[in-house]
Amino acid sequence: MRGLAMLRNTRTIVRLCVLSGVSTTGVIAWATGFFAWAVGSVRSLWDGFIAFLNSPFSWEHLAAGAGVLIIPIVIIVLIFAIADN
């Protein structure tokens, strides 16, 4: 009887449902290979990012540098144009 009285508490029932749902989702994700796919995706993104950082004279870096320099210059020119009417 005491075990059934414990399950009458609403919070306990909700916690058990959440625990069983999370456990079931974890087992399904592990069985289907979702975790392996997620780790592989993150690893490929990281490798691409590191390759991007290791090639400082590529066109992507030149475009990023130009964007960093051009955007503040355009903003300053617009401020001067608006201030001078």
Side-chain angles (χ1 to χ4, degrees):
M1 276 303 264
R2 187 174 175 110
L4 292 176
M6 184 184 74
L7 290 178
R8 290 186 187 153
N9 189 353
T10 305
R11 290 181 181 174
T12 304
I13 294 171
V14 169
R15 287 178 187 150
L16 288 173
C17 289
V18 169
L19 179 64
S20 65
V22 168
S23 299
T24 304
T25 303
V27 169
I28 290 172
W30 174 71
T32 59
F34 174 77
F35 292 134
W37 172 80
V39 168
S41 297
V42 170
R43 180 176 285 175
S44 67
L45 287 172
W46 181 257
D47 289 341
F49 178 68
I50 294 300
F52 174 74
L53 291 178
N54 287 334
S55 59
F57 295 112
S58 66
W59 285 107
E60 291 88 6
H61 273 87
L62 293 175
V68 167
L69 294 175
I70 289 175
I71 291 173
I73 292 171
V74 168
I75 291 172
I76 290 172
V77 168
L78 286 174
I79 290 172
F80 285 151
I82 292 171
D84 288 340
N85 289 327

